[in-house]
Amino acid sequence: MTRLRLFVWLVTFVLSFSVSGFAQQAPVVVSPVAGADVALRVDPQTTADILTRIQKSGADVGVALRTLDGKMEWFSRADDVFHAASTMKIPVMIELFHQVREGKLKLDDPLPIRNEFHSLVDASIYALDPADDSETDLYKAVGQTRTLNQLCELMITVSSNLATNLLVEKLGVDNIRATVHALHADGMNVLRGVEDNKAYEKGMNNTTTARGLLILMEAIAKGQAADADSSRKMVEILTRQKFNEGIPAGLPSGTRVAHKTGELAKLHHDAAIVYAPRAFVLVILVRGLPESKESAALMADITRRIYQSTQ
């Protein structure tokens, strides 16, 4: 047995012993890349500390980590399926830039603003409630137009549901799903726009895994989502995110973060590209905590430990 394989075997053994009491958090996978420097791997104590913190919180948590230099990755329940909440807006943005690259659309194309959509269940008409949206100014623009670029900015930075549904309708759900599949991120499953209550009641929801989101964010970070220039523009939009209580709160002040959050009742997610000295992609999905302050603190604690281990 080579020294590298022996180390991997020892890490796996230590982790399985350390967290045996936390079976609800299995499986945990530490996956060092062949030939990588041993010093760059997430150490067993860090992973054990993270799992202990998660277990004490009582939440269901999926975590996916990969450094952009390809020397480290770590997954915990990364293939568990969660309601995607607003993280589904990431593939919508990717598809927008994909269609722009193909010449089907231009970012400065105008789109009429209206608040009328069709349910996935029966095509019946429904409208979004501004009280359930994190951005309300766009509702005042009904009857006017906004550019696709403006709508994308609102969808990502302030998580506008109205902007999202307008873009989903314009781009087409089937096209969004095809692009996700082409990026090998099938853990993300986009069925519809947001606030389709009939579909929600029937369990017809957008879902994701931590691994699926990581693949999408990594494609953006590496210039492989649409193309390099489009990916750079997507990063710029993601860095203007206004909700920074999760992953960014666990990082040193001034760290550049390109990320998208998602939040519903007892759901709180964050998917980020962290431009640390050793840059990495980190996705944390949290389910089961009633207070967003609690879930945000959990995400920040996980991030803090991961940052310390990766740098």
Side-chain angles (χ1 to χ4, degrees):
M1 181 181 293
T2 65
R3 294 180 63 185
L4 177 61
R5 291 181 177 176
L6 176 60
F7 177 82
V8 174
W9 181 86
L10 287 172
V11 168
T12 304
F13 175 79
V14 171
L15 275 176
S16 64
F17 179 81
S18 299
V19 301
S20 61
F22 310 140
Q24 68 272 32
Q25 284 298 320
V28 178
V29 181
V30 177
S31 306
V33 177
D37 187 337
V38 169
L40 299 182
R41 300 197 182 113
V42 178
D43 64 276
Q45 187 59 56
T46 295
T47 58
D49 288 347
I50 291 172
L51 293 174
T52 298
R53 174 68 173 89
I54 292 172
Q55 191 271 338
K56 288 181 177 179
S57 77
D60 295 321
V61 181
V63 182
L65 162 72
R66 183 177 290 142
T67 55
L68 292 184
D69 63 12
K71 293 183 177 180
M72 181 191 304
E73 60 180 21
W74 181 71
F75 301 103
S76 175
R77 299 184 64 172
D79 296 308
D80 281 15
V81 176
F82 291 73
H83 191 298
S86 289
T87 64
M88 56 78 62
K89 297 169 184 178
I90 294 171
V92 178
M93 176 177 64
I94 292 174
E95 177 58 21
L96 171 61
F97 279 91
H98 175 72
Q99 292 193 24
V100 168
R101 184 196 66 177
E102 291 190 331
K104 297 178 180 178
L105 300 171
K106 295 179 181 178
L107 288 176
D108 58 2
D109 284 347
L111 190 65
I113 306 303
R114 59 186 179 82
N115 186 8
E116 185 178 284
F117 306 98
H118 294 87
S119 173
L120 178 63
V121 175
D122 56 10
S124 60
I125 294 174
Y126 72 96
L128 305 188
D129 185 350
D132 294 329
D133 205 332
S134 58
E135 197 282 332
T136 58
D137 287 345
L138 190 59
Y139 292 85
K140 302 171 186 177
V142 169
Q144 303 175 25
T145 64
R146 294 290 185 272
T147 67
L148 298 178
N149 190 54
Q150 288 173 321
L151 293 174
C152 183
E153 182 82 15
L154 290 172
M155 176 180 68
I156 297 298
T157 62
V158 291
S159 209
S160 168
N161 288 340
L162 182 55
T164 301
N165 278 19
L166 289 166
L167 287 172
V168 168
E169 185 178 75
K170 178 67 175 179
L171 301 171
V173 169
D174 289 345
N175 292 327
I176 296 168
R177 290 164 61 89
T179 294
V180 168
H181 179 70
L183 291 170
H184 308 290
D186 291 323
M188 169 63 73
N189 186 23
V190 178
L191 294 180
R192 56 173 176 81
V194 295
E195 293 189 40
D196 183 347
N197 292 328
K198 282 188 177 180
Y200 180 83
E201 291 168 0
K202 291 183 176 292
M204 302 166 68
N205 299 316
N206 302 315
T207 59
T208 192
T209 64
R211 191 188 304 273
L213 268 173
L214 179 140
I215 291 169
L216 293 178
M217 296 298 284
E218 187 177 39
I220 294 172
K222 292 186 173 182
Q224 299 167 353
D227 57 26
D229 184 58
S230 298
S231 296
R232 179 185 57 78
K233 291 176 180 176
M234 284 186 258
V235 168
E236 291 174 355
I237 294 171
L238 289 162
T239 59
R240 294 192 286 270
Q241 171 63 238
K242 302 301 183 184
F243 306 118
N244 297 302
E245 299 83 6
I247 288 174
L251 297 167
S253 178
T255 303
R256 185 175 184 234
V257 186
H259 71 121
K260 180 72 191 80
T261 61
E263 189 173 349
L264 286 173
K266 295 186 177 182
L267 287 169
H268 201 172
H269 309 326
D270 207 349
I273 307 164
V274 178
Y275 291 96
R278 176 171 292 111
F280 58 90
V281 175
L282 175 62
V283 178
I284 306 174
L285 309 180
V286 181
R287 177 174 56 216
L289 297 182
E291 298 293 333
S292 62
K293 288 184 179 180
E294 188 179 0
S295 52
L298 174 61
M299 287 192 282
D301 285 348
I302 293 171
T303 302
R304 190 173 298 109
R305 289 173 168 86
I306 285 175
Y307 179 88
Q308 292 168 352
S309 182
T310 57
Q311 302 310 302

